[in-house]
PDB file of all heavy atoms in Angstrom:
ATOM      1  N   GLU A   5      96.465 124.099  22.214  1.00 41.00           N
ATOM      2  CA  GLU A   5      96.029 123.684  23.546  1.00 41.00           C
ATOM      3  C   GLU A   5      97.098 122.869  24.273  1.00 41.00           C
ATOM      4  O   GLU A   5      97.075 122.732  25.478  1.00 41.00           O
ATOM      5  CB  GLU A   5      94.750 122.847  23.454  1.00 41.00           C
ATOM      6  CG  GLU A   5      93.538 123.633  22.977  1.00 41.00           C
ATOM      7  CD  GLU A   5      93.512 123.866  21.471  1.00 41.00           C
ATOM      8  OE1 GLU A   5      94.176 123.122  20.723  1.00 41.00           O
ATOM      9  OE2 GLU A   5      92.850 124.813  21.034  1.00 41.00           O
ATOM     10  N   PRO A  18      97.574 111.125  19.678  1.00 50.00           N
ATOM     11  CA  PRO A  18      98.830 111.738  19.252  1.00 50.00           C
ATOM     12  C   PRO A  18      98.692 112.390  17.879  1.00 50.00           C
ATOM     13  O   PRO A  18      97.961 111.917  17.026  1.00 50.00           O
ATOM     14  CB  PRO A  18      99.808 110.568  19.209  1.00 50.00           C
ATOM     15  CG  PRO A  18      98.992 109.342  19.231  1.00 50.00           C
ATOM     16  CD  PRO A  18      97.642 109.685  19.772  1.00 50.00           C
ATOM     17  N   LEU A  19      99.395 113.502  17.718  1.00 58.00           N
ATOM     18  CA  LEU A  19      99.467 114.156  16.423  1.00 58.00           C
ATOM     19  C   LEU A  19     100.532 113.439  15.618  1.00 58.00           C
ATOM     20  O   LEU A  19     101.645 113.265  16.074  1.00 58.00           O
ATOM     21  CB  LEU A  19      99.841 115.628  16.614  1.00 58.00           C
ATOM     22  CG  LEU A  19      98.904 116.427  17.501  1.00 58.00           C
ATOM     23  CD1 LEU A  19      99.470 117.816  17.742  1.00 58.00           C
ATOM     24  CD2 LEU A  19      97.533 116.513  16.893  1.00 58.00           C
ATOM     25  N   ARG A  20     100.190 113.045  14.415  1.00 69.00           N
ATOM     26  CA  ARG A  20     101.129 112.248  13.626  1.00 69.00           C
ATOM     27  C   ARG A  20     101.394 112.892  12.272  1.00 69.00           C
ATOM     28  O   ARG A  20     100.616 112.745  11.349  1.00 69.00           O
ATOM     29  CB  ARG A  20     100.596 110.843  13.447  1.00 69.00           C
ATOM     30  CG  ARG A  20     100.392 110.130  14.763  1.00 69.00           C
ATOM     31  CD  ARG A  20     100.282 108.630  14.557  1.00 69.00           C
ATOM     32  NE  ARG A  20      99.932 107.980  15.787  1.00 69.00           N
ATOM     33  CZ  ARG A  20     100.801 107.554  16.683  1.00 69.00           C
ATOM     34  NH1 ARG A  20     102.078 107.716  16.470  1.00 69.00           N
ATOM     35  NH2 ARG A  20     100.403 106.961  17.780  1.00 69.00           N
ATOM     36  N   LEU A  26     115.701 119.818   7.061  1.00 92.00           N
ATOM     37  CA  LEU A  26     117.017 119.816   6.417  1.00 92.00           C
ATOM     38  C   LEU A  26     117.606 121.215   6.361  1.00 92.00           C
ATOM     39  O   LEU A  26     116.901 122.179   6.080  1.00 92.00           O
ATOM     40  CB  LEU A  26     116.912 119.313   4.968  1.00 92.00           C
ATOM     41  CG  LEU A  26     116.710 117.838   4.717  1.00 92.00           C
ATOM     42  CD1 LEU A  26     116.564 117.580   3.223  1.00 92.00           C
ATOM     43  CD2 LEU A  26     117.859 117.026   5.272  1.00 92.00           C
ATOM     44  N   ASN A  42     115.535 110.320  -2.469  1.00 87.00           N
ATOM     45  CA  ASN A  42     116.173 109.742  -1.285  1.00 87.00           C
ATOM     46  C   ASN A  42     115.311 109.721  -0.026  1.00 87.00           C
ATOM     47  O   ASN A  42     115.565 108.916   0.867  1.00 87.00           O
ATOM     48  CB  ASN A  42     117.476 110.492  -0.983  1.00 87.00           C
ATOM     49  CG  ASN A  42     118.516 110.244  -2.048  1.00 87.00           C
ATOM     50  OD1 ASN A  42     118.589 109.158  -2.612  1.00 87.00           O
ATOM     51  ND2 ASN A  42     119.305 111.243  -2.348  1.00 87.00           N
ATOM     52  N   GLN A  45     110.089 109.179  -1.520  1.00 82.00           N
ATOM     53  CA  GLN A  45     109.523 107.990  -2.149  1.00 82.00           C
ATOM     54  C   GLN A  45     109.449 106.805  -1.199  1.00 82.00           C
ATOM     55  O   GLN A  45     108.572 105.954  -1.337  1.00 82.00           O
ATOM     56  CB  GLN A  45     110.316 107.628  -3.405  1.00 82.00           C
ATOM     57  CG  GLN A  45     110.117 108.641  -4.510  1.00 82.00           C
ATOM     58  CD  GLN A  45     110.944 108.343  -5.745  1.00 82.00           C
ATOM     59  OE1 GLN A  45     111.839 107.510  -5.737  1.00 82.00           O
ATOM     60  NE2 GLN A  45     110.654 109.052  -6.823  1.00 82.00           N
ATOM     61  N   TRP A  58     118.572 129.598   0.517  1.00 92.00           N
ATOM     62  CA  TRP A  58     119.253 130.526  -0.376  1.00 92.00           C
ATOM     63  C   TRP A  58     118.351 130.965  -1.525  1.00 92.00           C
ATOM     64  O   TRP A  58     118.821 131.435  -2.551  1.00 92.00           O
ATOM     65  CB  TRP A  58     120.562 129.958  -0.916  1.00 92.00           C
ATOM     66  CG  TRP A  58     121.588 129.605   0.103  1.00 92.00           C
ATOM     67  CD1 TRP A  58     121.457 129.621   1.467  1.00 92.00           C
ATOM     68  CD2 TRP A  58     122.922 129.168  -0.134  1.00 92.00           C
ATOM     69  NE1 TRP A  58     122.612 129.216   2.086  1.00 92.00           N
ATOM     70  CE2 TRP A  58     123.537 128.925   1.116  1.00 92.00           C
ATOM     71  CE3 TRP A  58     123.658 128.947  -1.275  1.00 92.00           C
ATOM     72  CZ2 TRP A  58     124.841 128.491   1.239  1.00 92.00           C
ATOM     73  CZ3 TRP A  58     124.961 128.504  -1.148  1.00 92.00           C
ATOM     74  CH2 TRP A  58     125.545 128.289   0.095  1.00 92.00           C
ATOM     75  N   LEU A  66     108.685 128.483  -8.204  1.00 93.00           N
ATOM     76  CA  LEU A  66     109.196 127.705  -9.336  1.00 93.00           C
ATOM     77  C   LEU A  66     109.774 126.351  -8.925  1.00 93.00           C
ATOM     78  O   LEU A  66     109.971 125.479  -9.759  1.00 93.00           O
ATOM     79  CB  LEU A  66     110.267 128.509 -10.078  1.00 93.00           C
ATOM     80  CG  LEU A  66     109.826 129.872 -10.610  1.00 93.00           C
ATOM     81  CD1 LEU A  66     111.005 130.606 -11.236  1.00 93.00           C
ATOM     82  CD2 LEU A  66     108.677 129.733 -11.588  1.00 93.00           C
ATOM     83  N   ARG A  73     103.499 121.346  -1.841  1.00 97.00           N
ATOM     84  CA  ARG A  73     103.379 122.745  -2.225  1.00 97.00           C
ATOM     85  C   ARG A  73     104.011 123.616  -1.138  1.00 97.00           C
ATOM     86  O   ARG A  73     103.965 123.272   0.036  1.00 97.00           O
ATOM     87  CB  ARG A  73     101.924 123.136  -2.443  1.00 97.00           C
ATOM     88  CG  ARG A  73     101.102 123.159  -1.176  1.00 97.00           C
ATOM     89  CD  ARG A  73      99.600 123.282  -1.446  1.00 97.00           C
ATOM     90  NE  ARG A  73      98.828 123.395  -0.235  1.00 97.00           N
ATOM     91  CZ  ARG A  73      98.557 122.404   0.621  1.00 97.00           C
ATOM     92  NH1 ARG A  73      99.027 121.193   0.388  1.00 97.00           N
ATOM     93  NH2 ARG A  73      97.827 122.602   1.700  1.00 97.00           N
ATOM     94  N   SER A  76     104.738 128.387   3.142  1.00 94.00           N
ATOM     95  CA  SER A  76     105.316 129.540   3.812  1.00 94.00           C
ATOM     96  C   SER A  76     106.818 129.579   3.564  1.00 94.00           C
ATOM     97  O   SER A  76     107.473 128.534   3.558  1.00 94.00           O
ATOM     98  CB  SER A  76     105.032 129.452   5.319  1.00 94.00           C
ATOM     99  OG  SER A  76     105.499 130.586   5.992  1.00 94.00           O
ATOM    100  N   VAL A  88     114.268 130.393   4.906  1.00 93.00           N
ATOM    101  CA  VAL A  88     113.598 129.209   5.421  1.00 93.00           C
ATOM    102  C   VAL A  88     112.310 128.982   4.631  1.00 93.00           C
ATOM    103  O   VAL A  88     111.761 129.926   4.049  1.00 93.00           O
ATOM    104  CB  VAL A  88     113.270 129.341   6.930  1.00 93.00           C
ATOM    105  CG1 VAL A  88     114.537 129.326   7.771  1.00 93.00           C
ATOM    106  CG2 VAL A  88     112.472 130.603   7.214  1.00 93.00           C
ATOM    107  N   GLY A 110     117.010 139.577   8.621  1.00 75.00           N
ATOM    108  CA  GLY A 110     118.003 138.759   7.928  1.00 75.00           C
ATOM    109  C   GLY A 110     119.257 138.522   8.747  1.00 75.00           C
ATOM    110  O   GLY A 110     119.782 139.440   9.362  1.00 75.00           O
ATOM    111  N   LEU A 120      98.169 123.781  10.424  1.00 90.00           N
ATOM    112  CA  LEU A 120      97.556 122.613   9.795  1.00 90.00           C
ATOM    113  C   LEU A 120      96.227 122.340  10.487  1.00 90.00           C
ATOM    114  O   LEU A 120      96.161 122.317  11.713  1.00 90.00           O
ATOM    115  CB  LEU A 120      98.460 121.385   9.937  1.00 90.00           C
ATOM    116  CG  LEU A 120      99.834 121.474   9.299  1.00 90.00           C
ATOM    117  CD1 LEU A 120     100.680 120.272   9.681  1.00 90.00           C
ATOM    118  CD2 LEU A 120      99.715 121.565   7.797  1.00 90.00           C
ATOM    119  N   SER A 122      93.553 119.738  11.482  1.00 76.00           N
ATOM    120  CA  SER A 122      93.441 118.287  11.629  1.00 76.00           C
ATOM    121  C   SER A 122      92.022 117.852  11.298  1.00 76.00           C
ATOM    122  O   SER A 122      91.123 118.667  11.105  1.00 76.00           O
ATOM    123  CB  SER A 122      93.791 117.855  13.052  1.00 76.00           C
ATOM    124  OG  SER A 122      92.744 118.210  13.932  1.00 76.00           O
ATOM    125  N   GLN A 126      91.149 120.866  14.606  1.00 78.00           N
ATOM    126  CA  GLN A 126      92.118 121.398  15.546  1.00 78.00           C
ATOM    127  C   GLN A 126      93.274 121.975  14.739  1.00 78.00           C
ATOM    128  O   GLN A 126      93.716 121.369  13.768  1.00 78.00           O
ATOM    129  CB  GLN A 126      92.619 120.263  16.429  1.00 78.00           C
ATOM    130  CG  GLN A 126      92.996 120.671  17.781  1.00 78.00           C
ATOM    131  CD  GLN A 126      93.331 119.457  18.628  1.00 78.00           C
ATOM    132  OE1 GLN A 126      93.509 118.356  18.129  1.00 78.00           O
ATOM    133  NE2 GLN A 126      93.419 119.666  19.909  1.00 78.00           N
ATOM    134  N   ASN A 128      97.124 122.872  14.262  1.00 85.00           N
ATOM    135  CA  ASN A 128      98.458 122.483  14.709  1.00 85.00           C
ATOM    136  C   ASN A 128      99.438 123.407  14.005  1.00 85.00           C
ATOM    137  O   ASN A 128      99.253 123.756  12.845  1.00 85.00           O
ATOM    138  CB  ASN A 128      98.745 121.023  14.345  1.00 85.00           C
ATOM    139  CG  ASN A 128      97.717 120.102  14.943  1.00 85.00           C
ATOM    140  OD1 ASN A 128      97.658 119.920  16.141  1.00 85.00           O
ATOM    141  ND2 ASN A 128      96.866 119.536  14.105  1.00 85.00           N
ATOM    142  N   ILE A 150     109.147 135.851  21.867  1.00 83.00           N
ATOM    143  CA  ILE A 150     107.976 136.657  21.494  1.00 83.00           C
ATOM    144  C   ILE A 150     107.042 135.850  20.595  1.00 83.00           C
ATOM    145  O   ILE A 150     105.822 135.821  20.785  1.00 83.00           O
ATOM    146  CB  ILE A 150     108.411 137.970  20.816  1.00 83.00           C
ATOM    147  CG1 ILE A 150     109.093 138.876  21.847  1.00 83.00           C
ATOM    148  CG2 ILE A 150     107.221 138.667  20.166  1.00 83.00           C
ATOM    149  CD1 ILE A 150     109.832 140.047  21.231  1.00 83.00           C
TER     150      ILE A 150
END
Side-chain angles (χ1 to χ4, degrees):
E5 293 78 21
L19 303 173
R20 300 198 187 271
L26 285 177
N42 292 326
Q45 291 177 348
W58 300 6
L66 302 176
R73 69 191 184 286
S76 184
V88 291
L120 299 172
S122 73
Q126 211 174 13
N128 302 291
I150 291 167

